[in-house]
């Protein structure tokens, strides 16, 4: 069953869409103000529940690796950054735990990488708890958090506007 809904545009439209899909009948009956409060509570809960280990496996570890890489690179001198980029290019994961392998490989060369990664994890959690846009890695976490399958499609209309189409497959008991 496909349903078209409008959401409140304060920055948590993704959360509102999920809440509508999961709690369709109860969610439609509450006021807009209560929906805003509920979405804020859900975002806070998502942020509070996100553990470092979960963050480290999003996108098969590539999310944490990429965010850590960017932060590390921006804090280095030109010469240090050149060495860092060489180390990045020579890294080969030993297992499917890409981020952990990466930290293990980089830590002897760049001892502060663990602190940088922890800082990036905290920034990621803060983004979850704000009205910021949900990127693909957050979509993966939302799938885990709500225990639903979520797909996003895009549709261009005749005026060339791009619309997001959110598909949520809820696992109902039989």
């Amino acid at each position: 069953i496909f349903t078209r809904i409008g959401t409140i545009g304060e920055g948590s439209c993704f959360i509102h869409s999920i809440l509508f899909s999961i709690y369709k009948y109860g969610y439609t009956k509450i006021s807009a103000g209560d929906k805003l409060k509920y979405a804020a509570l859900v975002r806070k809960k998502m942020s509070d529940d996100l553990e470092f280990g979960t963050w480290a496996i999003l996108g098969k570890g590539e999310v944490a690796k990429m965010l850590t890489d960017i932060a590390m690179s921006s804090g280095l001198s030109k010469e240090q950054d050149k060495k860092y980029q060489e180390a990045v290019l020579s890294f080969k994961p030993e297992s499917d735990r890409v981020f952990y392998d990466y930290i293990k490989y980089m830590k002897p060369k760049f001892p502060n990488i663990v602190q940088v990664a922890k800082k990036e994890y905290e920034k990621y959690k803060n983004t979850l708890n704000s009205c910021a846009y949900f990127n693909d890695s957050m979509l993966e976490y939302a799938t885990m958090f709500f225990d639903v399958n979520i797909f996003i499609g895009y549709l261009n209309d005749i005026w060339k506007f791009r619309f997001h189409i959110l598909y949520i497959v809820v696992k109902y008991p039989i």
Side-chain angles (χ1 to χ4, degrees), residues 160-173:
K160 305 284 187 228
F161 289 106
R162 190 172 186 185
F163 294 95
H164 290 76
I165 301 172
L166 182 69
Y167 303 96
I168 298 177
V169 181
V170 181
K171 303 169 194 169
Y172 288 111

Side-chain angles (χ1 to χ4, degrees), residues 71-150:
M72 279 294 295
S73 191
S74 67
L76 298 173
S77 69
K78 215 173 205 179
E79 189 174 305
Q80 289 173 316
D81 188 47
K82 185 177 178 183
K83 289 178 184 174
Y84 184 76
Q85 295 307 323
E86 287 171 3
V88 168
L89 292 173
S90 65
F91 166 70
K92 304 274 187 279
E94 298 172 3
S95 70
D96 61 347
R97 296 170 46 104
V98 173
F99 182 65
Y100 292 108
D101 290 348
Y102 182 69
I103 293 294
K104 184 176 147 188
Y105 174 79
M106 296 296 270
K107 191 175 177 187
K109 299 169 180 76
F110 301 92
N112 67 326
I113 196 164
V114 174
Q115 290 78 19
V116 171
K118 286 179 180 176
K119 199 176 203 180
E120 290 306 305
Y121 159 69
E122 289 300 328
K123 284 167 54 176
Y124 191 91
K125 284 180 61 132
N126 290 337
T127 301
L128 279 173
N129 196 23
S130 70
C131 285
Y133 174 77
F134 261 65
N135 63 37
D136 291 343
S137 67
M138 292 173 181
L139 174 68
E140 181 183 1
Y141 177 56
T143 297
M144 295 161 58
F145 182 84
F146 288 104
D147 194 27
V148 296
N149 294 320
I150 303 169

